[in-house]
Amino acid sequence: MSKKMVIQQPNHFVQAVTSNQWSSEICDCTQDMSSCCFAFWCFPCFACITAKEAGECLCLPLLDGYSLIPPATMSMRVGMRKRYGIEGTMCNDCVYSFFCLPCTWCQMSREMKTRLQPITLINAHTR
């Protein structure tokens, strides 16, 4: 067995997402293909699970079926923008919620996964 001596240890760093923009665009489904496929094949289930992960009522997305403009999706998107400090307007939220409903929920799911990642110290050693 060979012995290897390490002369210099790599420095640790902290990785965190703090941006005032969405971490992905509305149609960036290829970043999380499993969620995109889930949303495409079983959208009501995907929306309910995503709402639950966001800390909202599990059945909140089901209210979207009772209105021309999906109020639950729009309110979730506005709330997420406010929570993470993302720039945008209610007008854009309304347009995305109306015309791109599954893509909007996929974007919110990706955003939560990106923003809620724990801060990772890589190669950090306590001395």
Side-chain angles (χ1 to χ4, degrees), residues 49-98:
I49 290 170
T50 304
K52 180 75 173 165
E53 289 173 351
E56 300 296 336
C57 176
L58 178 71
C59 298
L60 181 67
L62 300 178
L63 296 174
D64 284 345
Y66 297 105
S67 178
L68 181 62
I69 297 173
T73 301
M74 191 170 154
S75 66
M76 283 279 299
R77 187 172 166 84
V78 169
M80 193 167 291
R81 277 194 313 99
K82 297 298 179 193
R83 180 184 309 158
Y84 297 133
I86 298 171
E87 292 179 353
T89 64
M90 284 186 66
C91 182
N92 283 345
D93 295 332
C94 182
V95 169
Y96 287 141
S97 298
F98 183 76

mmCIF file of all heavy atoms in Angstrom, residues 49-98:
data_model
loop_
_atom_site.group_PDB
_atom_site.id
_atom_site.type_symbol
_atom_site.label_atom_id
_atom_site.label_comp_id
_atom_site.label_asym_id
_atom_site.label_seq_id
_atom_site.Cartn_x
_atom_site.Cartn_y
_atom_site.Cartn_z
ATOM 1 N N ILE A 49 -48.179 18.913 -4.286
ATOM 2 C CA ILE A 49 -46.947 18.574 -3.566
ATOM 3 C C ILE A 49 -46.028 19.785 -3.453
ATOM 4 O O ILE A 49 -45.441 20.044 -2.398
ATOM 5 C CB ILE A 49 -46.239 17.386 -4.248
ATOM 6 C CG1 ILE A 49 -47.052 16.114 -4.022
ATOM 7 C CG2 ILE A 49 -44.814 17.223 -3.743
ATOM 8 C CD1 ILE A 49 -46.590 14.931 -4.836
ATOM 9 N N THR A 50 -45.922 20.554 -4.528
ATOM 10 C CA THR A 50 -45.083 21.757 -4.516
ATOM 11 C C THR A 50 -45.625 22.782 -3.531
ATOM 12 O O THR A 50 -44.857 23.416 -2.799
ATOM 13 C CB THR A 50 -44.975 22.362 -5.929
ATOM 14 O OG1 THR A 50 -44.475 21.364 -6.820
ATOM 15 C CG2 THR A 50 -44.049 23.567 -5.957
ATOM 16 N N ALA A 51 -46.936 22.947 -3.492
ATOM 17 C CA ALA A 51 -47.546 23.873 -2.526
ATOM 18 C C ALA A 51 -47.245 23.423 -1.101
ATOM 19 O O ALA A 51 -46.922 24.249 -0.231
ATOM 20 C CB ALA A 51 -49.053 23.960 -2.749
ATOM 21 N N LYS A 52 -47.347 22.145 -0.841
ATOM 22 C CA LYS A 52 -47.053 21.603 0.493
ATOM 23 C C LYS A 52 -45.596 21.849 0.870
ATOM 24 O O LYS A 52 -45.303 22.244 2.008
ATOM 25 C CB LYS A 52 -47.375 20.101 0.519
ATOM 26 C CG LYS A 52 -47.110 19.434 1.823
ATOM 27 C CD LYS A 52 -48.163 19.780 2.826
ATOM 28 C CE LYS A 52 -47.955 18.939 4.084
ATOM 29 N NZ LYS A 52 -48.707 19.446 5.194
ATOM 30 N N GLU A 53 -44.685 21.644 -0.080
ATOM 31 C CA GLU A 53 -43.262 21.895 0.173
ATOM 32 C C GLU A 53 -42.982 23.367 0.438
ATOM 33 O O GLU A 53 -42.026 23.706 1.129
ATOM 34 C CB GLU A 53 -42.418 21.412 -1.002
ATOM 35 C CG GLU A 53 -42.358 19.902 -1.114
ATOM 36 C CD GLU A 53 -41.670 19.423 -2.383
ATOM 37 O OE1 GLU A 53 -41.370 20.255 -3.277
ATOM 38 O OE2 GLU A 53 -41.442 18.205 -2.490
ATOM 39 N N ALA A 54 -43.822 24.247 -0.108
ATOM 40 C CA ALA A 54 -43.671 25.689 0.115
ATOM 41 C C ALA A 54 -44.302 26.125 1.436
ATOM 42 O O ALA A 54 -44.252 27.300 1.788
ATOM 43 C CB ALA A 54 -44.291 26.467 -1.037
ATOM 44 N N GLY A 55 -44.923 25.181 2.144
ATOM 45 C CA GLY A 55 -45.524 25.518 3.425
ATOM 46 C C GLY A 55 -46.963 25.964 3.324
ATOM 47 O O GLY A 55 -47.516 26.501 4.276
ATOM 48 N N GLU A 56 -47.571 25.754 2.183
ATOM 49 C CA GLU A 56 -48.970 26.138 1.986
ATOM 50 C C GLU A 56 -49.869 24.917 2.139
ATOM 51 O O GLU A 56 -49.399 23.788 2.262
ATOM 52 C CB GLU A 56 -49.148 26.750 0.586
ATOM 53 C CG GLU A 56 -48.327 27.989 0.327
ATOM 54 C CD GLU A 56 -48.706 29.169 1.211
ATOM 55 O OE1 GLU A 56 -49.860 29.211 1.690
ATOM 56 O OE2 GLU A 56 -47.859 30.035 1.426
ATOM 57 N N CYS A 57 -51.165 25.152 2.087
ATOM 58 C CA CYS A 57 -52.138 24.073 2.175
ATOM 59 C C CYS A 57 -51.976 23.138 0.973
ATOM 60 O O CYS A 57 -51.809 23.597 -0.162
ATOM 61 C CB CYS A 57 -53.546 24.651 2.207
ATOM 62 S SG CYS A 57 -54.835 23.394 2.194
ATOM 63 N N LEU A 58 -52.039 21.857 1.224
ATOM 64 C CA LEU A 58 -51.862 20.858 0.183
ATOM 65 C C LEU A 58 -52.853 21.044 -0.967
ATOM 66 O O LEU A 58 -52.519 20.851 -2.126
ATOM 67 C CB LEU A 58 -52.027 19.461 0.795
ATOM 68 C CG LEU A 58 -51.932 18.282 -0.152
ATOM 69 C CD1 LEU A 58 -50.501 18.102 -0.624
ATOM 70 C CD2 LEU A 58 -52.421 17.018 0.531
ATOM 71 N N CYS A 59 -54.081 21.450 -0.665
ATOM 72 C CA CYS A 59 -55.142 21.555 -1.683
ATOM 73 C C CYS A 59 -55.242 22.941 -2.317
ATOM 74 O O CYS A 59 -56.119 23.172 -3.140
ATOM 75 C CB CYS A 59 -56.480 21.183 -1.060
ATOM 76 S SG CYS A 59 -56.510 19.489 -0.454
ATOM 77 N N LEU A 60 -54.371 23.858 -1.951
ATOM 78 C CA LEU A 60 -54.440 25.230 -2.473
ATOM 79 C C LEU A 60 -54.468 25.294 -4.004
ATOM 80 O O LEU A 60 -55.290 26.006 -4.576
ATOM 81 C CB LEU A 60 -53.279 26.061 -1.927
ATOM 82 C CG LEU A 60 -53.224 27.519 -2.375
ATOM 83 C CD1 LEU A 60 -54.405 28.291 -1.803
ATOM 84 C CD2 LEU A 60 -51.919 28.153 -1.951
ATOM 85 N N PRO A 61 -53.625 24.555 -4.728
ATOM 86 C CA PRO A 61 -53.647 24.652 -6.202
ATOM 87 C C PRO A 61 -54.956 24.201 -6.828
ATOM 88 O O PRO A 61 -55.255 24.581 -7.967
ATOM 89 C CB PRO A 61 -52.503 23.742 -6.643
ATOM 90 C CG PRO A 61 -51.614 23.642 -5.469
ATOM 91 C CD PRO A 61 -52.515 23.731 -4.274
ATOM 92 N N LEU A 62 -55.749 23.411 -6.123
ATOM 93 C CA LEU A 62 -57.017 22.951 -6.686
ATOM 94 C C LEU A 62 -58.018 24.094 -6.863
ATOM 95 O O LEU A 62 -58.971 23.970 -7.625
ATOM 96 C CB LEU A 62 -57.613 21.849 -5.812
ATOM 97 C CG LEU A 62 -56.728 20.604 -5.660
ATOM 98 C CD1 LEU A 62 -57.387 19.599 -4.737
ATOM 99 C CD2 LEU A 62 -56.415 19.983 -7.010
ATOM 100 N N LEU A 63 -57.786 25.218 -6.176
ATOM 101 C CA LEU A 63 -58.663 26.387 -6.330
ATOM 102 C C LEU A 63 -58.511 27.040 -7.700
ATOM 103 O O LEU A 63 -59.387 27.788 -8.126
ATOM 104 C CB LEU A 63 -58.362 27.421 -5.239
ATOM 105 C CG LEU A 63 -58.649 26.989 -3.803
ATOM 106 C CD1 LEU A 63 -58.168 28.063 -2.840
ATOM 107 C CD2 LEU A 63 -60.130 26.710 -3.615
ATOM 108 N N ASP A 64 -57.419 26.766 -8.380
ATOM 109 C CA ASP A 64 -57.193 27.379 -9.694
ATOM 110 C C ASP A 64 -58.250 26.969 -10.717
ATOM 111 O O ASP A 64 -58.489 27.682 -11.683
ATOM 112 C CB ASP A 64 -55.809 27.011 -10.230
ATOM 113 C CG ASP A 64 -54.691 27.789 -9.567
ATOM 114 O OD1 ASP A 64 -54.986 28.805 -8.903
ATOM 115 O OD2 ASP A 64 -53.523 27.385 -9.713
ATOM 116 N N GLY A 65 -58.888 25.847 -10.523
ATOM 117 C CA GLY A 65 -59.886 25.370 -11.468
ATOM 118 C C GLY A 65 -61.191 26.136 -11.437
ATOM 119 O O GLY A 65 -62.033 25.977 -12.318
ATOM 120 N N TYR A 66 -61.364 27.010 -10.445
ATOM 121 C CA TYR A 66 -62.625 27.731 -10.298
ATOM 122 C C TYR A 66 -62.557 29.171 -10.783
ATOM 123 O O TYR A 66 -63.449 29.957 -10.502
ATOM 124 C CB TYR A 66 -63.067 27.719 -8.829
ATOM 125 C CG TYR A 66 -63.344 26.329 -8.342
ATOM 126 C CD1 TYR A 66 -62.455 25.667 -7.513
ATOM 127 C CD2 TYR A 66 -64.499 25.662 -8.728
ATOM 128 C CE1 TYR A 66 -62.706 24.377 -7.075
ATOM 129 C CE2 TYR A 66 -64.756 24.375 -8.295
ATOM 130 C CZ TYR A 66 -63.850 23.744 -7.470
ATOM 131 O OH TYR A 66 -64.107 22.471 -7.043
ATOM 132 N N SER A 67 -61.538 29.535 -11.513
ATOM 133 C CA SER A 67 -61.383 30.915 -11.945
ATOM 134 C C SER A 67 -60.703 30.953 -13.308
ATOM 135 O O SER A 67 -59.978 30.035 -13.683
ATOM 136 C CB SER A 67 -60.538 31.675 -10.920
ATOM 137 O OG SER A 67 -60.330 32.991 -11.344
ATOM 138 N N LEU A 68 -60.936 32.019 -14.039
ATOM 139 C CA LEU A 68 -60.290 32.195 -15.335
ATOM 140 C C LEU A 68 -58.787 32.398 -15.158
ATOM 141 O O LEU A 68 -57.979 31.774 -15.831
ATOM 142 C CB LEU A 68 -60.904 33.393 -16.074
ATOM 143 C CG LEU A 68 -60.322 33.676 -17.449
ATOM 144 C CD1 LEU A 68 -60.571 32.499 -18.377
ATOM 145 C CD2 LEU A 68 -60.916 34.934 -18.038
ATOM 146 N N ILE A 69 -58.411 33.280 -14.236
ATOM 147 C CA ILE A 69 -57.004 33.495 -13.911
ATOM 148 C C ILE A 69 -56.718 32.668 -12.665
ATOM 149 O O ILE A 69 -57.424 32.794 -11.670
ATOM 150 C CB ILE A 69 -56.705 34.984 -13.653
ATOM 151 C CG1 ILE A 69 -56.970 35.793 -14.925
ATOM 152 C CG2 ILE A 69 -55.270 35.180 -13.184
ATOM 153 C CD1 ILE A 69 -56.870 37.275 -14.744
ATOM 154 N N PRO A 70 -55.706 31.806 -12.677
ATOM 155 C CA PRO A 70 -55.440 30.934 -11.535
ATOM 156 C C PRO A 70 -54.931 31.708 -10.310
ATOM 157 O O PRO A 70 -53.753 32.075 -10.246
ATOM 158 C CB PRO A 70 -54.382 29.961 -12.055
ATOM 159 C CG PRO A 70 -53.860 30.547 -13.305
ATOM 160 C CD PRO A 70 -54.829 31.545 -13.800
ATOM 161 N N PRO A 71 -55.810 31.979 -9.335
ATOM 162 C CA PRO A 71 -55.425 32.814 -8.194
ATOM 163 C C PRO A 71 -54.396 32.156 -7.282
ATOM 164 O O PRO A 71 -53.520 32.838 -6.749
ATOM 165 C CB PRO A 71 -56.740 33.051 -7.457
ATOM 166 C CG PRO A 71 -57.591 31.883 -7.820
ATOM 167 C CD PRO A 71 -57.199 31.513 -9.219
ATOM 168 N N ALA A 72 -54.481 30.848 -7.083
ATOM 169 C CA ALA A 72 -53.542 30.183 -6.182
ATOM 170 C C ALA A 72 -52.129 30.212 -6.763
ATOM 171 O O ALA A 72 -51.160 30.485 -6.045
ATOM 172 C CB ALA A 72 -53.985 28.753 -5.928
ATOM 173 N N THR A 73 -52.016 29.942 -8.041
ATOM 174 C CA THR A 73 -50.701 29.958 -8.683
ATOM 175 C C THR A 73 -50.107 31.355 -8.642
ATOM 176 O O THR A 73 -48.933 31.532 -8.321
ATOM 177 C CB THR A 73 -50.808 29.477 -10.147
ATOM 178 O OG1 THR A 73 -51.346 28.159 -10.150
ATOM 179 C CG2 THR A 73 -49.464 29.489 -10.838
ATOM 180 N N MET A 74 -50.935 32.339 -8.945
ATOM 181 C CA MET A 74 -50.451 33.717 -8.938
ATOM 182 C C MET A 74 -50.012 34.130 -7.530
ATOM 183 O O MET A 74 -48.954 34.734 -7.355
ATOM 184 C CB MET A 74 -51.532 34.650 -9.458
ATOM 185 C CG MET A 74 -51.026 36.039 -9.726
ATOM 186 S SD MET A 74 -52.260 36.983 -10.598
ATOM 187 C CE MET A 74 -51.801 38.599 -10.091
ATOM 188 N N SER A 75 -50.799 33.797 -6.513
ATOM 189 C CA SER A 75 -50.434 34.185 -5.149
ATOM 190 C C SER A 75 -49.182 33.444 -4.682
ATOM 191 O O SER A 75 -48.346 34.005 -3.984
ATOM 192 C CB SER A 75 -51.595 33.946 -4.182
ATOM 193 O OG SER A 75 -51.869 32.572 -4.065
ATOM 194 N N MET A 76 -49.041 32.173 -5.070
ATOM 195 C CA MET A 76 -47.830 31.424 -4.714
ATOM 196 C C MET A 76 -46.601 32.050 -5.366
ATOM 197 O O MET A 76 -45.551 32.181 -4.738
ATOM 198 C CB MET A 76 -47.951 29.972 -5.181
ATOM 199 C CG MET A 76 -48.818 29.098 -4.342
ATOM 200 S SD MET A 76 -47.994 28.492 -2.884
ATOM 201 C CE MET A 76 -46.656 27.563 -3.583
ATOM 202 N N ARG A 77 -46.748 32.436 -6.617
ATOM 203 C CA ARG A 77 -45.617 33.035 -7.335
ATOM 204 C C ARG A 77 -45.241 34.388 -6.731
ATOM 205 O O ARG A 77 -44.055 34.676 -6.519
ATOM 206 C CB ARG A 77 -45.963 33.178 -8.818
ATOM 207 C CG ARG A 77 -44.804 33.619 -9.666
ATOM 208 C CD ARG A 77 -45.170 33.553 -11.138
ATOM 209 N NE ARG A 77 -44.205 34.257 -11.937
ATOM 210 C CZ ARG A 77 -43.068 33.734 -12.367
ATOM 211 N NH1 ARG A 77 -42.769 32.485 -12.094
ATOM 212 N NH2 ARG A 77 -42.233 34.448 -13.094
ATOM 213 N N VAL A 78 -46.231 35.215 -6.417
ATOM 214 C CA VAL A 78 -45.962 36.512 -5.786
ATOM 215 C C VAL A 78 -45.317 36.295 -4.414
ATOM 216 O O VAL A 78 -44.344 36.966 -4.061
ATOM 217 C CB VAL A 78 -47.264 37.341 -5.656
ATOM 218 C CG1 VAL A 78 -47.046 38.555 -4.776
ATOM 219 C CG2 VAL A 78 -47.759 37.766 -7.030
ATOM 220 N N GLY A 79 -45.864 35.349 -3.641
ATOM 221 C CA GLY A 79 -45.307 35.057 -2.325
ATOM 222 C C GLY A 79 -43.868 34.572 -2.393
ATOM 223 O O GLY A 79 -43.028 34.939 -1.564
ATOM 224 N N MET A 80 -43.574 33.750 -3.387
ATOM 225 C CA MET A 80 -42.211 33.246 -3.544
ATOM 226 C C MET A 80 -41.260 34.369 -3.941
ATOM 227 O O MET A 80 -40.132 34.442 -3.454
ATOM 228 C CB MET A 80 -42.177 32.125 -4.579
ATOM 229 C CG MET A 80 -40.882 31.363 -4.577
ATOM 230 S SD MET A 80 -40.966 29.837 -5.496
ATOM 231 C CE MET A 80 -42.044 28.882 -4.464
ATOM 232 N N ARG A 81 -41.726 35.261 -4.801
ATOM 233 C CA ARG A 81 -40.886 36.411 -5.177
ATOM 234 C C ARG A 81 -40.574 37.261 -3.951
ATOM 235 O O ARG A 81 -39.444 37.697 -3.759
ATOM 236 C CB ARG A 81 -41.578 37.271 -6.237
ATOM 237 C CG ARG A 81 -41.424 36.797 -7.634
ATOM 238 C CD ARG A 81 -41.818 37.806 -8.698
ATOM 239 N NE ARG A 81 -43.090 38.483 -8.498
ATOM 240 C CZ ARG A 81 -43.241 39.705 -7.990
ATOM 241 N NH1 ARG A 81 -42.199 40.406 -7.627
ATOM 242 N NH2 ARG A 81 -44.434 40.240 -7.847
ATOM 243 N N LYS A 82 -41.581 37.489 -3.117
ATOM 244 C CA LYS A 82 -41.379 38.306 -1.911
ATOM 245 C C LYS A 82 -40.466 37.595 -0.916
ATOM 246 O O LYS A 82 -39.595 38.209 -0.316
ATOM 247 C CB LYS A 82 -42.722 38.641 -1.248
ATOM 248 C CG LYS A 82 -43.634 39.473 -2.105
ATOM 249 C CD LYS A 82 -43.028 40.810 -2.425
ATOM 250 C CE LYS A 82 -43.956 41.610 -3.308
ATOM 251 N NZ LYS A 82 -43.311 42.767 -3.887
ATOM 252 N N ARG A 83 -40.677 36.291 -0.720
ATOM 253 C CA ARG A 83 -39.880 35.518 0.243
ATOM 254 C C ARG A 83 -38.401 35.526 -0.114
ATOM 255 O O ARG A 83 -37.547 35.670 0.748
ATOM 256 C CB ARG A 83 -40.378 34.085 0.292
ATOM 257 C CG ARG A 83 -39.607 33.208 1.272
ATOM 258 C CD ARG A 83 -40.043 31.769 1.235
ATOM 259 N NE ARG A 83 -41.482 31.654 1.371
ATOM 260 C CZ ARG A 83 -42.185 30.606 0.964
ATOM 261 N NH1 ARG A 83 -41.590 29.579 0.404
ATOM 262 N NH2 ARG A 83 -43.489 30.567 1.126
ATOM 263 N N TYR A 84 -38.088 35.365 -1.399
ATOM 264 C CA TYR A 84 -36.698 35.271 -1.827
ATOM 265 C C TYR A 84 -36.141 36.584 -2.365
ATOM 266 O O TYR A 84 -35.003 36.626 -2.809
ATOM 267 C CB TYR A 84 -36.549 34.176 -2.891
ATOM 268 C CG TYR A 84 -36.885 32.798 -2.386
ATOM 269 C CD1 TYR A 84 -37.717 31.962 -3.116
ATOM 270 C CD2 TYR A 84 -36.391 32.329 -1.175
ATOM 271 C CE1 TYR A 84 -38.025 30.690 -2.665
ATOM 272 C CE2 TYR A 84 -36.700 31.063 -0.712
ATOM 273 C CZ TYR A 84 -37.515 30.256 -1.459
ATOM 274 O OH TYR A 84 -37.819 29.002 -1.001
ATOM 275 N N GLY A 85 -36.939 37.644 -2.362
ATOM 276 C CA GLY A 85 -36.461 38.946 -2.837
ATOM 277 C C GLY A 85 -36.229 38.996 -4.335
ATOM 278 O O GLY A 85 -35.330 39.691 -4.812
ATOM 279 N N ILE A 86 -37.042 38.265 -5.082
ATOM 280 C CA ILE A 86 -36.896 38.217 -6.536
ATOM 281 C C ILE A 86 -37.657 39.386 -7.153
ATOM 282 O O ILE A 86 -38.803 39.642 -6.801
ATOM 283 C CB ILE A 86 -37.437 36.878 -7.082
ATOM 284 C CG1 ILE A 86 -36.626 35.719 -6.513
ATOM 285 C CG2 ILE A 86 -37.417 36.856 -8.601
ATOM 286 C CD1 ILE A 86 -37.203 34.358 -6.813
ATOM 287 N N GLU A 87 -37.004 40.066 -8.069
ATOM 288 C CA GLU A 87 -37.652 41.185 -8.744
ATOM 289 C C GLU A 87 -38.700 40.678 -9.726
ATOM 290 O O GLU A 87 -38.565 39.595 -10.291
ATOM 291 C CB GLU A 87 -36.618 42.015 -9.493
ATOM 292 C CG GLU A 87 -35.661 42.748 -8.585
ATOM 293 C CD GLU A 87 -34.634 43.542 -9.359
ATOM 294 O OE1 GLU A 87 -34.572 43.433 -10.602
ATOM 295 O OE2 GLU A 87 -33.882 44.277 -8.711
ATOM 296 N N GLY A 88 -39.731 41.463 -9.940
ATOM 297 C CA GLY A 88 -40.776 41.110 -10.889
ATOM 298 C C GLY A 88 -42.032 41.916 -10.606
ATOM 299 O O GLY A 88 -42.084 42.714 -9.670
ATOM 300 N N THR A 89 -43.044 41.703 -11.418
ATOM 301 C CA THR A 89 -44.295 42.430 -11.256
ATOM 302 C C THR A 89 -45.465 41.455 -11.170
ATOM 303 O O THR A 89 -45.368 40.314 -11.627
ATOM 304 C CB THR A 89 -44.536 43.374 -12.452
ATOM 305 O OG1 THR A 89 -44.684 42.588 -13.631
ATOM 306 C CG2 THR A 89 -43.397 44.364 -12.621
ATOM 307 N N MET A 90 -46.557 41.926 -10.605
ATOM 308 C CA MET A 90 -47.760 41.113 -10.548
ATOM 309 C C MET A 90 -48.305 40.864 -11.944
ATOM 310 O O MET A 90 -48.917 39.832 -12.202
ATOM 311 C CB MET A 90 -48.816 41.765 -9.659
ATOM 312 C CG MET A 90 -48.499 41.603 -8.192
ATOM 313 S SD MET A 90 -49.807 42.203 -7.115
ATOM 314 C CE MET A 90 -51.111 41.080 -7.493
ATOM 315 N N CYS A 91 -48.080 41.795 -12.848
ATOM 316 C CA CYS A 91 -48.525 41.625 -14.234
ATOM 317 C C CYS A 91 -47.829 40.420 -14.869
ATOM 318 O O CYS A 91 -48.481 39.583 -15.496
ATOM 319 C CB CYS A 91 -48.247 42.897 -15.022
ATOM 320 S SG CYS A 91 -48.810 42.809 -16.729
ATOM 321 N N ASN A 92 -46.511 40.326 -14.695
ATOM 322 C CA ASN A 92 -45.785 39.164 -15.221
ATOM 323 C C ASN A 92 -46.250 37.874 -14.552
ATOM 324 O O ASN A 92 -46.400 36.849 -15.216
ATOM 325 C CB ASN A 92 -44.281 39.324 -15.016
ATOM 326 C CG ASN A 92 -43.656 40.271 -16.000
ATOM 327 O OD1 ASN A 92 -44.257 40.607 -17.014
ATOM 328 N ND2 ASN A 92 -42.456 40.719 -15.700
ATOM 329 N N ASP A 93 -46.473 37.931 -13.240
ATOM 330 C CA ASP A 93 -46.948 36.751 -12.516
ATOM 331 C C ASP A 93 -48.299 36.295 -13.058
ATOM 332 O O ASP A 93 -48.540 35.104 -13.228
ATOM 333 C CB ASP A 93 -47.060 37.039 -11.020
ATOM 334 C CG ASP A 93 -45.715 37.320 -10.377
ATOM 335 O OD1 ASP A 93 -44.700 36.802 -10.880
ATOM 336 O OD2 ASP A 93 -45.684 38.050 -9.375
ATOM 337 N N CYS A 94 -49.154 37.242 -13.364
ATOM 338 C CA CYS A 94 -50.471 36.929 -13.906
ATOM 339 C C CYS A 94 -50.357 36.292 -15.291
ATOM 340 O O CYS A 94 -51.008 35.285 -15.575
ATOM 341 C CB CYS A 94 -51.314 38.203 -13.973
ATOM 342 S SG CYS A 94 -52.990 37.932 -14.581
ATOM 343 N N VAL A 95 -49.510 36.852 -16.146
ATOM 344 C CA VAL A 95 -49.334 36.323 -17.500
ATOM 345 C C VAL A 95 -48.763 34.908 -17.453
ATOM 346 O O VAL A 95 -49.270 34.003 -18.119
ATOM 347 C CB VAL A 95 -48.432 37.257 -18.339
ATOM 348 C CG1 VAL A 95 -48.007 36.601 -19.642
ATOM 349 C CG2 VAL A 95 -49.160 38.567 -18.624
ATOM 350 N N TYR A 96 -47.712 34.711 -16.649
ATOM 351 C CA TYR A 96 -47.114 33.373 -16.534
ATOM 352 C C TYR A 96 -48.106 32.374 -15.961
ATOM 353 O O TYR A 96 -48.188 31.234 -16.415
ATOM 354 C CB TYR A 96 -45.859 33.402 -15.673
ATOM 355 C CG TYR A 96 -44.665 34.039 -16.338
ATOM 356 C CD1 TYR A 96 -43.793 34.840 -15.620
ATOM 357 C CD2 TYR A 96 -44.393 33.841 -17.683
ATOM 358 C CE1 TYR A 96 -42.693 35.421 -16.215
ATOM 359 C CE2 TYR A 96 -43.305 34.424 -18.291
ATOM 360 C CZ TYR A 96 -42.455 35.213 -17.549
ATOM 361 O OH TYR A 96 -41.370 35.783 -18.152
ATOM 362 N N SER A 97 -48.858 32.783 -14.952
ATOM 363 C CA SER A 97 -49.823 31.881 -14.323
ATOM 364 C C SER A 97 -50.943 31.498 -15.280
ATOM 365 O O SER A 97 -51.450 30.381 -15.229
ATOM 366 C CB SER A 97 -50.418 32.540 -13.077
ATOM 367 O OG SER A 97 -49.425 32.801 -12.125
ATOM 368 N N PHE A 98 -51.332 32.408 -16.147
ATOM 369 C CA PHE A 98 -52.433 32.138 -17.068
ATOM 370 C C PHE A 98 -51.992 31.309 -18.272
ATOM 371 O O PHE A 98 -52.637 30.342 -18.648
ATOM 372 C CB PHE A 98 -53.070 33.453 -17.538
ATOM 373 C CG PHE A 98 -54.257 33.251 -18.429
ATOM 374 C CD1 PHE A 98 -55.475 32.868 -17.894
ATOM 375 C CD2 PHE A 98 -54.158 33.437 -19.796
ATOM 376 C CE1 PHE A 98 -56.577 32.669 -18.713
ATOM 377 C CE2 PHE A 98 -55.256 33.244 -20.632
ATOM 378 C CZ PHE A 98 -56.469 32.862 -20.082
#
